[in-house]
Amino acid sequence: MKGKSRLFTIGLVTAWYSSNIGVLLLNKYLLSNYGFKYPIFLTMCHMTACSLLSYIAIAWMKMVPMQTIRSRVQFLKITALSLVFCVSVVFGNISLRYLPVSFNQAIGATTPFFTAVFAYFMTLKREAWLTYLTLVPVVTGVIIASGGEPSFHLFGFLICVAATAARALKSVLQGILLSSEGEKLNSMNLLLYMAPIAVVFLLPATLIMEENVVGITLALARDDVKIIWYLLFNSALAYFVNLTNFLVTKHTSALTLQVLGNAKGAVAVVVSILIFRNPVSVTGMMGYSLTVFGVILYSEAKKRSK
């Protein structure tokens, strides 16, 4: 039984890595290489798929018990989280138009820095000085990687930093807004409610900022039907990222998840370089390595402070 359990866990982790890296690489291919320059519409497709597949997984397949929204206040809190979540995903997708995946992942690795900053100012929660000290290599590594990045793009860099900050803000807000026992939702139920709200936010943004994107997509499909399959597969993958993340969290420890998460970023960098052949410098790789090392130290310091 232990052998079967270990194989199941390995399968889950492989599925988590594959879906995570897959959606990242496919986003990059569509937005940059393929020339589908509509990141807001792409994000709306992701959120639509997450809405439908979340409902199927929870209401029909009973993968987890359905949790209900208990009050108008709780609904407003989830709406606020959904808005921040939208910003993080849209900005992340926009940054992929301008930056290689390897550099995008290097910036994304600074999430613990922004999380610590937001937690300090919003909850006045102070970590041990050693924990804050470990954030120095996290930030220094990205500064070094930026200086050595052959494909550096200032707008793409700023948008990617904003996406990373929004991702950190969402996690801190989630801890604050849904902290009471009556309001806590597991990640699958939270996605079930956040995704449709995200679609409501993204629909007018798409219509205003990416005019006639549906018509353009249909015109592209007449010339190359693969674009429809790319969008469908990409949107389904976006849901499986969340599903596999939930399952890996459920079947492993928090520490294991942190270690796997750090390794996932490094794997994504290597795979993206092999696929897209984007130029990398020794300085850039040294900077990214320093950032990952800092994140590992941060995780260790957080664990010891508990």
Side-chain angles (χ1 to χ4, degrees):
M1 289 300 289
K2 281 186 178 179
K4 285 184 179 179
S5 177
R6 191 178 293 112
L7 280 174
F8 180 71
T9 303
I10 291 170
L12 277 181
V13 172
T14 304
W16 182 43
Y17 270 41
S18 301
S19 58
N20 227 299
I21 296 169
V23 78
L24 186 66
L25 297 179
L26 196 47
N27 282 349
K28 175 63 179 175
Y29 174 73
L30 285 170
L31 294 167
S32 184
N33 297 57
Y34 190 87
F36 187 79
K37 299 176 180 179
Y38 305 101
I40 303 175
F41 178 71
L42 184 63
T43 308
M44 192 178 77
C45 290
H46 290 179
M47 292 301 103
T48 303
C50 286
S51 302
L52 295 171
L53 294 173
S54 290
Y55 185 79
I56 291 168
I58 297 172
W60 289 4
M61 297 175 69
K62 311 289 184 186
M63 290 190 71
V64 294
M66 182 176 281
Q67 297 171 288
T68 56
I69 296 177
R70 300 189 177 189
S71 66
R72 184 167 173 267
V73 172
Q74 187 185 15
F75 174 75
L76 291 173
K77 289 176 179 180
I78 292 170
T79 301
L81 282 175
S82 185
L83 181 59
V84 177
F85 180 59
C86 274
V87 171
S88 71
V89 178
V90 170
F91 280 20
N93 285 340
I94 291 172
S95 72
L96 286 171
R97 280 186 59 187
Y98 303 97
L99 301 177
V101 172
S102 52
F103 190 42
N104 177 283
Q105 288 293 285
I107 299 167
T110 61
T111 303
F113 167 76
F114 290 104
T115 303
V117 170
F118 286 131
Y120 179 80
F121 285 107
M122 294 173 70
T123 67
L124 300 178
K125 180 186 175 184
R126 295 188 180 186
E127 302 285 355
W129 279 108
L130 182 62
T131 306
Y132 288 122
L133 198 62
T134 61
L135 293 172
V136 174
V138 172
V139 178
T140 305
V142 168
I143 293 169
I144 293 170
S146 302
E149 175 55 51
S151 307
F152 182 83
H153 190 284
L154 181 59
F155 177 73
F157 172 77
L158 293 174
I159 285 288
C160 195
V161 169
T164 306
R167 196 158 50 242
L169 177 60
K170 185 247 175 190
S171 67
V172 174
L173 276 176
Q174 189 172 326
I176 297 169
L177 296 179
L178 303 178
S179 57
S180 68
E181 282 302 319
E183 290 184 331
K184 280 183 180 176
L185 298 170
N186 64 47
S187 59
M188 285 186 74
N189 273 276
L190 185 59
L191 184 66
L192 172 68
Y193 295 116
M194 279 176 53
I197 297 169
V199 173
V200 172
F201 284 131
L202 291 165
L203 182 59
T206 303
L207 294 173
I208 294 167
M209 300 175 71
E210 297 177 344
E211 196 176 347
N212 198 29
V213 65
V214 175
I216 292 166
T217 305
L218 292 174
L220 280 171
R222 280 193 286 271
D223 295 329
D224 183 9
V225 74
K226 284 188 291 187
I227 183 65
I228 301 297
W229 293 110
Y230 284 147
L231 290 173
L232 287 172
F233 181 62
N234 193 25
S235 300
L237 266 185
Y239 171 71
F240 281 106
V241 168
N242 293 282
L243 175 63
T244 53
N245 184 72
F246 171 79
L247 292 172
V248 170
T249 306
K250 186 178 175 181
H251 287 88
T252 64
S253 65
L255 177 61
T256 304
L257 192 72
Q258 284 179 342
V259 173
L260 290 171
N262 295 335
K264 178 170 58 63
V267 173
V269 168
V270 173
V271 172
S272 70
I273 291 170
L274 291 173
I275 291 175
F276 295 113
R277 308 281 182 183
N278 55 283
V280 289
S281 65
V282 175
T283 307
M285 289 309 293
M286 283 175 61
Y288 179 66
S289 300
L290 181 61
T291 294
V292 171
F293 179 65
V295 171
I296 293 168
L297 289 178
Y298 174 80
S299 301
E300 188 64 25
K302 283 274 286 182
K303 186 182 74 170
R304 292 191 178 188
S305 68
K306 290 176 182 177

